[in-house]
Amino acid sequence: MAAFAEGIPSFAEGLPRPNVTIDEVRRIAAELYGVAGEVRELGSQQDRNFLFTESASATEAHGRRVLFKISNRAVRRDEIEAQNEAMRRMHAAGHPSPAPLPSVNGRDIETADVDGAPHSIRLLTFVEGTPLIDFEHFSADTIAAMGTLVGQVVATLAGFEHPGLDRALQWDLRVGEQLVEELIGYVVEPERQAFVLGALEDVTAALAPVKDELPLQAIHGDLTDDNLVATAGALGRPELSGIIDFGDVGTGWRVAELAVACTAVFHHDPARPLAVLPLIRAFDEVVPLTDAEIDALWPLIVLRGATLVVSGLQQVAIDEGNDYAEAALNREWTIFAVPAALDSRVATSAIRRALGRTVAPGPDAAPSGATLLDPELARRTRIITLDHTSTALRDGSWLGDEGAEAEAQLLLLAARTGGVAATRFGEPRLTRSVGVSRDAPANVATGVELYSTGDLALTAPFAGLVSSAEGHVTLTDGTRTLVIAGARGLIEGRSLEGESAAVPTRVDEGDPFAEIAGWAQVSLQLGEVSAVDAAAAPVPRFVTAQEFPAWLAVIGDPSELIGLAPSEARAEGAGAGETLRARLDTYAPLQGHYYAHPPQFERGWREMLIDTDGRHYLDMVNNVTALGHGHPVLADTVAQQWRMLNTNSRFNYASVAELSTRLLETLPDGFDTVLLVNSGTEAVDLALRLTKAFTGRDDVACVEESYHGWSYAADAVSTSTSDNPLAAELRAPWVHAFDAPNGYRGTHRGEDAGQRYAADALAELERLAAAGTPIGTFIAEPRNGNAGAIEVPPGYLAAVYDAVRAGGGVVISDEVQVGYGRQGDVFWGFEQHPGPDGEPIVPDVVTVAKAMGNGHPLGAVITRSEIAEALADQGTFFSSAGGSTLSARLGMTVLDIMRDDRLQENAREVGGYLREQLLGLAERQPLIGAIHGRGLYQGIELVRDRETLEPAAAETLALCDRMLAIGIIVQPTGDRGNVLKVKPPLCFTKESADTFVAALDEVLTRGL
C-alpha cells in the first residue's frame, strides 16, 4: 500500500503506447527470445502486444503461438513481477491464463530500448480462444458463468501479497473520482460532460459512507469481455476458456473486480441494465458480498464507465493512430451511460432482491386521514383498470396511437360520472405496451393519475414545504416527497409563479397547495425532492415490469393519499412463477408446458399472446386458434348462444344440421355424413372404429414420425417418438408403420422419392396380406405435420390409397393439423395430391378438429353413409358437446369468418411471402437446412451440416428460448427436435412475417 498511501499522482499526462515498428519487434524478439515467424499486432490501450506464430515442424499441424509484450515504460519492474506471479497463481488454481516464458538468458522479464528508452519485455504463452467481446449475444447462462469465474479469480488472489501490487494505477477505482475530474475536459460535448459530472456527483455521495468498509486485496482489475476468452459451444454460445491481460493487477477494492466485470454486459444488451443480475448473483455464491460492497457496487459500476469514457478520449487525443482506443469510444460511452441512467438506489434494490438480502422499504403514505381530495370526492373517484384484465379495452383498441386515445377516453368517461377518475399504481398497462417488440415495454405505472372534468384543488395530506417548477408541484416533509406533474402551485388562493415558485413555502396538513386542470400524475418519492429536481430528473412515469420491484425502494403507492385503497403492486414475473408452481402441484405434469420459465398468458389478440406484465409476443405456433385470438365476432356469437341455449345433439335444433351441410360443401361428391366430436383425438379414434366395423379387419397401417392423438386407438397409430419415446416398443400388433415418406432426409430422396416410398409400402401391404393380416385401414396426414410440415412426396399417397383399396381396405386423411384452409391453395390437405388421372385423390374418411372450433373443443369425422352405418350394430354414437348448440353455432361462425376475412387466401398470400423470406434467410444462415411446408403451415429444419444433415436439436431448443426473450413464441417439433413449428393464426400479416424473420435472423447472427 506504500505507493497509494504516499499520494496519488496526476493522470493528466496520460500513457502513450511504446513507439515501435514491426521490424523492431521482430529483431528484439529474435535477440531476446529466439522467436521468429508470422507476427501481427493485438490491440492494447497503453501497452503493445504482438502475436507470433512460429513455423510448424514436420510433426506439428501448426506452429507454436506466443504473445510478445512490450509494457508501457511507466510500469515498474516489480509491478510486472507481480503480474507474472498472479498468472502463476491462476495456473495453479486451474484457470487457463498466460504464463511467462524464459528468454534465451533464462529470465522472465527482459529490458530493451524502444524509442530511446528502456522498456520491460516479456514473452507469454498464448491463451487460445475468442475474446468474449466478439460474441454479440450474452445469454443469462453466459452472464452467470462470468460471475462465477470472476468470483473464482477473487478467491484465488485472496491473500496474495507482493510489493508490485501497490500501484498508482488509473484503473484503480479508489482514484476513479479524481481521474474523472482531471480528465473531464476531454469530454467536449456539453450535454455529455454534464451527464458525466452529474453521475460523478451521485457516485461520490453514494461511496462516501462505505469506502472505509470495502475489503482490499489483490485483483486482476480488468476482467471484461476483452480479457475473458471463450470457445463456441455446441449451441453457438460462448463457453469461457481463459483469462488474459494481467496488466492491471494490483491492490484494490475486492468489489471493484465485480464492478469492472459487470460493465462488460451493458453494451451487449443496453435496453436491460439489470441483465447483470445473474453475474452478481453468481459472484456472490463464490465470494459473499458484504452490505457495504452491495451498496458500493452500482456506484462503482458507473464510476468504471466514467473512467473508461474520459481515459479513452484522452488516449485518442495523446496517442495518434491508436485504432484500438478509437474503436472503443462508442462502446465505452454505452458502458457508462446505461448504468448511469438508472438510479443507483433502484439498482441496489434490484441487487439486494436478486441476492435474497434485506431491501430497505420505500416511502410510506402513512395517511393520518387527510387526503389530496375532498373526502366526498375521493369516495366518488372511479378507478380505471388498464391492464390485461380490463374488459373495457377490447378488440386491440389499446395498440399503437389508439392506445393513448382509448386510455384517455375511458378516464374522461369515468370522470364525467364520478367527478374524478384515477389509475392504479404499479399496473402494467396494455395502453402503454407497444405490441410485439424486441424489448419488454416500459408500461408499469410509478404513480397514480387523476382525471377530472374541470379544475381540481388539492389539499396537503401532510405538512411540509411546497415548491413549483415546470409543471411539477412538490410537497416534502424531508423524508418523503409528493410530486404532482401537470399541476400548478396554489397557496392561500395565490398561484405560485415565476422564480418565487421554486422557493419552498410551508403548508400544514389540509391546506390547499396545488390545482390541476383535467389531468395530473401523483407520485410518492423517497427523501427530499425539489420541484426543480422533479422536473429535471423525475422518476419515470413508466418502467419495465422487471425494474418495477426495484423502484419500490425509491417510490411508494400514493393511492391512500388520494383516499383510495392501496394497489396490489407485485414483483415482475411473480404471478407467472406462482401460477406455474400451482400448476405443477395440482395439474398433472404429464400434461406438460412450454418453456422452463414460461410467461403467464391471460390474453391474446389476433396473432399475439399477452402476458400478465402486458408484454405482447408474436404467436407462431397456434394453429388451434386459426382465426386469431380474441376475435370479436366469434366472442359475440358464443355469448349470444350461451344466453339462448346450450344442450346436446340429441335434441332437434337447426345449427347441427347447418354445420354438417356446410362441412360437406367443402368436400368432393361422395361424402354425405358428418359425426361431430370434441377433439382431433376423438375424431381419429372414432374414424378407426368406423373403418374397423366397415372392413371387418383389425390391422391398421400408418407412417412413422406421425401423431394422431392420445386415446388408446389414436395413440396406437401415433408413431412419433417426440410424443412417446416408447412408441415403437409399445406398438400394438395390429399396427403396422411404413417408413416416413420424407424426401429431405429419409431413406429415399430426389424427384422419384414418392414412387420409391410407395413401392416399399406396397411390398409391405403384400407381405401383410400373405401373412393373413391384410390391412383394413390406412391413416396418414397429407403433410406430416408433427414431423415439421414435411411434404409427402408426389405420387406416394395416390399409389398407397389405390393399393389399400384394391386389397379391401379404406383410407383416412387426418386433416386435424394441416387441413381447413391452412395451406392456402387448398382447403383440405389431400387436395394437393393428384392421382393418376390428374384429379386430386379422395380419401374415404376425413378427420378434422383444432381450427374447426378456433380453440373450442370441436371436431368431426366426415365420411360416406355406408361406412358410418357399419357401426350401427354396435349401438348409436353420441357426443355431449361435439354437436351441442354452442359448438355447432361456433363452428358455423368460424367458417363464416374464414370466408368473410379471406383467411384461406391470406394463408396463401402471406404464407407464400413468409416462405420467400425464409428461403432468403436460409441462403445466409447455414444452420437452416430446409424450409418445409406451404401456406401458414411451415417448418424450419435446423442442421449442423447441410451435407450430413446432423440435426441441430440443442440449438433449436436454445433458439426457442432466445426467441421468447425477444418476444417470439416458437417451438421445436419432429422426432429429432430440430424443426421450428411455423403455424400462426391465419390472420397473420406480412408485417408479422417480417418481424419473425428479422428476429430469427438476429438470433442466428448474434448467437444463441
Side-chain angles (χ1 to χ4, degrees), residues 429-460:
R429 297 190 195 174
L430 287 183
T431 49
R432 299 291 168 167
S433 299
V434 291
V436 176
S437 64
R438 185 187 179 281
D439 299 308
N443 66 326
V444 182
T446 60
V448 170
E449 293 175 29
L450 294 177
Y451 281 72
S452 68
T453 54
D455 292 348
L456 187 64
L458 305 179
T459 55

Short mmCIF file of all heavy atoms in Angstrom, two decimals, residues 429-460:
data_model
loop_
_atom_site.label_atom_id
_atom_site.label_comp_id
_atom_site.label_asym_id
_atom_site.label_seq_id
_atom_site.Cartn_x
_atom_site.Cartn_y
_atom_site.Cartn_z
N ARG A 429 -49.80 -1.48 -17.87
CA ARG A 429 -50.91 -1.08 -18.73
C ARG A 429 -50.77 -1.64 -20.14
O ARG A 429 -49.70 -1.54 -20.76
CB ARG A 429 -50.97 0.45 -18.82
CG ARG A 429 -51.26 1.14 -17.51
CD ARG A 429 -51.54 2.60 -17.78
NE ARG A 429 -51.47 3.38 -16.55
CZ ARG A 429 -51.55 4.70 -16.51
NH1 ARG A 429 -51.69 5.39 -17.65
NH2 ARG A 429 -51.49 5.35 -15.37
N LEU A 430 -51.87 -2.16 -20.64
CA LEU A 430 -51.91 -2.53 -22.05
C LEU A 430 -51.74 -1.31 -22.93
O LEU A 430 -51.11 -1.36 -23.99
CB LEU A 430 -53.24 -3.21 -22.38
CG LEU A 430 -53.49 -4.62 -21.86
CD1 LEU A 430 -54.83 -5.13 -22.37
CD2 LEU A 430 -52.38 -5.57 -22.28
N THR A 431 -52.30 -0.20 -22.49
CA THR A 431 -52.26 1.02 -23.29
C THR A 431 -50.87 1.61 -23.40
O THR A 431 -50.64 2.51 -24.22
CB THR A 431 -53.21 2.07 -22.69
OG1 THR A 431 -52.94 2.16 -21.27
CG2 THR A 431 -54.65 1.68 -22.90
N ARG A 432 -49.94 1.15 -22.59
CA ARG A 432 -48.56 1.62 -22.68
C ARG A 432 -47.64 0.54 -23.23
O ARG A 432 -46.42 0.71 -23.24
CB ARG A 432 -48.07 2.07 -21.29
CG ARG A 432 -48.89 3.22 -20.72
CD ARG A 432 -48.69 4.50 -21.49
NE ARG A 432 -49.69 5.52 -21.11
CZ ARG A 432 -49.60 6.80 -21.42
NH1 ARG A 432 -48.57 7.22 -22.12
NH2 ARG A 432 -50.53 7.65 -21.06
N SER A 433 -48.22 -0.55 -23.65
CA SER A 433 -47.45 -1.57 -24.35
C SER A 433 -47.27 -1.13 -25.80
O SER A 433 -47.95 -0.23 -26.27
CB SER A 433 -48.15 -2.92 -24.29
OG SER A 433 -48.31 -3.34 -22.94
N VAL A 434 -46.39 -1.79 -26.49
CA VAL A 434 -46.07 -1.33 -27.84
C VAL A 434 -46.28 -2.44 -28.88
O VAL A 434 -45.68 -2.40 -29.95
CB VAL A 434 -44.61 -0.83 -27.90
CG1 VAL A 434 -44.46 0.45 -27.12
CG2 VAL A 434 -43.63 -1.88 -27.38
N GLY A 435 -47.14 -3.40 -28.58
CA GLY A 435 -47.27 -4.53 -29.48
C GLY A 435 -46.04 -5.41 -29.38
O GLY A 435 -45.27 -5.36 -28.41
N VAL A 436 -45.85 -6.24 -30.37
CA VAL A 436 -44.70 -7.14 -30.38
C VAL A 436 -43.43 -6.31 -30.56
O VAL A 436 -43.33 -5.52 -31.49
CB VAL A 436 -44.82 -8.18 -31.50
CG1 VAL A 436 -43.56 -9.05 -31.56
CG2 VAL A 436 -46.06 -9.06 -31.28
N SER A 437 -42.49 -6.49 -29.66
CA SER A 437 -41.24 -5.75 -29.76
C SER A 437 -40.11 -6.59 -29.18
O SER A 437 -40.34 -7.54 -28.42
CB SER A 437 -41.32 -4.42 -29.01
OG SER A 437 -41.50 -4.63 -27.63
N ARG A 438 -38.89 -6.21 -29.55
CA ARG A 438 -37.72 -6.96 -29.12
C ARG A 438 -37.52 -6.87 -27.62
O ARG A 438 -37.05 -7.81 -26.98
CB ARG A 438 -36.48 -6.42 -29.85
CG ARG A 438 -35.22 -7.19 -29.59
CD ARG A 438 -34.02 -6.50 -30.19
NE ARG A 438 -32.81 -7.24 -29.90
CZ ARG A 438 -32.18 -7.20 -28.73
NH1 ARG A 438 -32.67 -6.47 -27.75
NH2 ARG A 438 -31.08 -7.92 -28.55
N ASP A 439 -37.87 -5.73 -27.04
CA ASP A 439 -37.64 -5.49 -25.62
C ASP A 439 -38.98 -5.35 -24.89
O ASP A 439 -39.98 -4.92 -25.47
CB ASP A 439 -36.81 -4.23 -25.40
CG ASP A 439 -35.43 -4.34 -26.05
OD1 ASP A 439 -34.75 -5.34 -25.78
OD2 ASP A 439 -35.07 -3.44 -26.83
N ALA A 440 -38.96 -5.69 -23.61
CA ALA A 440 -40.16 -5.54 -22.80
C ALA A 440 -40.55 -4.07 -22.70
O ALA A 440 -39.67 -3.20 -22.64
CB ALA A 440 -39.93 -6.13 -21.41
N PRO A 441 -41.83 -3.76 -22.68
CA PRO A 441 -42.25 -2.36 -22.67
C PRO A 441 -42.08 -1.72 -21.30
O PRO A 441 -42.18 -2.39 -20.26
CB PRO A 441 -43.73 -2.44 -23.05
CG PRO A 441 -44.17 -3.78 -22.52
CD PRO A 441 -42.98 -4.69 -22.72
N ALA A 442 -41.85 -0.42 -21.28
CA ALA A 442 -41.89 0.36 -20.05
C ALA A 442 -43.34 0.79 -19.87
O ALA A 442 -43.76 1.84 -20.37
CB ALA A 442 -40.96 1.56 -20.14
N ASN A 443 -44.13 -0.04 -19.18
CA ASN A 443 -45.57 0.19 -19.11
C ASN A 443 -46.14 0.09 -17.70
O ASN A 443 -47.35 0.12 -17.52
CB ASN A 443 -46.30 -0.82 -20.01
CG ASN A 443 -46.15 -2.25 -19.52
OD1 ASN A 443 -45.13 -2.63 -18.97
ND2 ASN A 443 -47.17 -3.06 -19.72
N VAL A 444 -45.27 -0.04 -16.69
CA VAL A 444 -45.75 -0.16 -15.32
C VAL A 444 -45.74 1.22 -14.67
O VAL A 444 -44.70 1.90 -14.61
CB VAL A 444 -44.88 -1.14 -14.51
CG1 VAL A 444 -45.44 -1.31 -13.10
CG2 VAL A 444 -44.83 -2.50 -15.21
N ALA A 445 -46.89 1.63 -14.17
CA ALA A 445 -47.07 3.00 -13.67
C ALA A 445 -46.38 3.18 -12.32
O ALA A 445 -46.57 2.40 -11.39
CB ALA A 445 -48.55 3.31 -13.54
N THR A 446 -45.57 4.25 -12.22
CA THR A 446 -44.89 4.56 -10.96
C THR A 446 -45.68 5.55 -10.12
O THR A 446 -45.21 5.96 -9.05
CB THR A 446 -43.50 5.15 -11.24
OG1 THR A 446 -43.65 6.34 -12.01
CG2 THR A 446 -42.64 4.15 -12.00
N GLY A 447 -46.83 5.93 -10.59
CA GLY A 447 -47.67 6.84 -9.84
C GLY A 447 -49.12 6.58 -10.14
O GLY A 447 -49.49 5.60 -10.80
N VAL A 448 -49.97 7.46 -9.67
CA VAL A 448 -51.41 7.40 -9.92
C VAL A 448 -51.81 8.66 -10.67
O VAL A 448 -51.40 9.76 -10.30
CB VAL A 448 -52.19 7.29 -8.60
CG1 VAL A 448 -53.68 7.46 -8.84
CG2 VAL A 448 -51.91 5.96 -7.92
N GLU A 449 -52.59 8.49 -11.72
CA GLU A 449 -53.04 9.64 -12.49
C GLU A 449 -54.47 10.01 -12.09
O GLU A 449 -55.30 9.13 -11.86
CB GLU A 449 -52.97 9.33 -13.98
CG GLU A 449 -51.54 9.16 -14.47
CD GLU A 449 -51.46 8.74 -15.92
OE1 GLU A 449 -52.39 9.09 -16.67
OE2 GLU A 449 -50.49 8.07 -16.29
N LEU A 450 -54.70 11.29 -12.05
CA LEU A 450 -56.03 11.81 -11.75
C LEU A 450 -56.58 12.52 -12.98
O LEU A 450 -55.87 13.28 -13.63
CB LEU A 450 -55.98 12.81 -10.59
CG LEU A 450 -55.58 12.26 -9.21
CD1 LEU A 450 -55.50 13.40 -8.22
CD2 LEU A 450 -56.57 11.22 -8.74
N TYR A 451 -57.84 12.26 -13.29
CA TYR A 451 -58.54 12.95 -14.38
C TYR A 451 -59.80 13.59 -13.80
O TYR A 451 -60.52 12.97 -13.02
CB TYR A 451 -58.93 11.97 -15.49
CG TYR A 451 -57.80 11.59 -16.40
CD1 TYR A 451 -56.77 10.76 -15.96
CD2 TYR A 451 -57.74 12.05 -17.70
CE1 TYR A 451 -55.74 10.40 -16.79
CE2 TYR A 451 -56.70 11.70 -18.55
CZ TYR A 451 -55.70 10.87 -18.08
OH TYR A 451 -54.67 10.52 -18.92
N SER A 452 -60.04 14.81 -14.20
CA SER A 452 -61.27 15.47 -13.78
C SER A 452 -61.84 16.22 -14.97
O SER A 452 -61.13 16.52 -15.94
CB SER A 452 -61.00 16.43 -12.62
OG SER A 452 -60.22 17.52 -13.06
N THR A 453 -63.10 16.57 -14.86
CA THR A 453 -63.74 17.29 -15.95
C THR A 453 -63.56 18.80 -15.83
O THR A 453 -63.97 19.55 -16.71
CB THR A 453 -65.24 16.97 -15.98
OG1 THR A 453 -65.80 17.23 -14.69
CG2 THR A 453 -65.47 15.52 -16.34
N GLY A 454 -62.95 19.24 -14.75
CA GLY A 454 -62.69 20.67 -14.57
C GLY A 454 -61.51 20.88 -13.65
O GLY A 454 -60.77 19.96 -13.35
N ASP A 455 -61.36 22.12 -13.17
CA ASP A 455 -60.27 22.41 -12.24
C ASP A 455 -60.50 21.67 -10.93
O ASP A 455 -61.64 21.55 -10.45
CB ASP A 455 -60.17 23.91 -11.97
CG ASP A 455 -59.72 24.67 -13.22
OD1 ASP A 455 -59.27 24.01 -14.17
OD2 ASP A 455 -59.83 25.91 -13.23
N LEU A 456 -59.39 21.20 -10.36
CA LEU A 456 -59.50 20.40 -9.14
C LEU A 456 -58.45 20.88 -8.16
O LEU A 456 -57.25 20.84 -8.44
CB LEU A 456 -59.29 18.92 -9.47
CG LEU A 456 -59.53 17.90 -8.35
CD1 LEU A 456 -60.99 17.92 -7.93
CD2 LEU A 456 -59.12 16.51 -8.83
N ALA A 457 -58.89 21.36 -7.00
CA ALA A 457 -57.96 21.81 -5.96
C ALA A 457 -57.53 20.63 -5.12
O ALA A 457 -58.32 19.73 -4.80
CB ALA A 457 -58.62 22.86 -5.09
N LEU A 458 -56.24 20.63 -4.74
CA LEU A 458 -55.68 19.56 -3.94
C LEU A 458 -55.23 20.10 -2.60
O LEU A 458 -54.66 21.21 -2.52
CB LEU A 458 -54.48 18.92 -4.65
CG LEU A 458 -54.72 18.40 -6.07
CD1 LEU A 458 -53.43 17.82 -6.64
CD2 LEU A 458 -55.83 17.36 -6.09
N THR A 459 -55.48 19.34 -1.54
CA THR A 459 -55.07 19.75 -0.20
C THR A 459 -53.93 18.87 0.29
O THR A 459 -53.83 17.70 -0.09
CB THR A 459 -56.25 19.66 0.79
OG1 THR A 459 -56.79 18.34 0.76
CG2 THR A 459 -57.33 20.65 0.41
N ALA A 460 -53.08 19.42 1.14
CA ALA A 460 -51.88 18.71 1.59
C ALA A 460 -52.27 17.56 2.51
O ALA A 460 -52.90 17.80 3.55
CB ALA A 460 -50.95 19.68 2.30
#
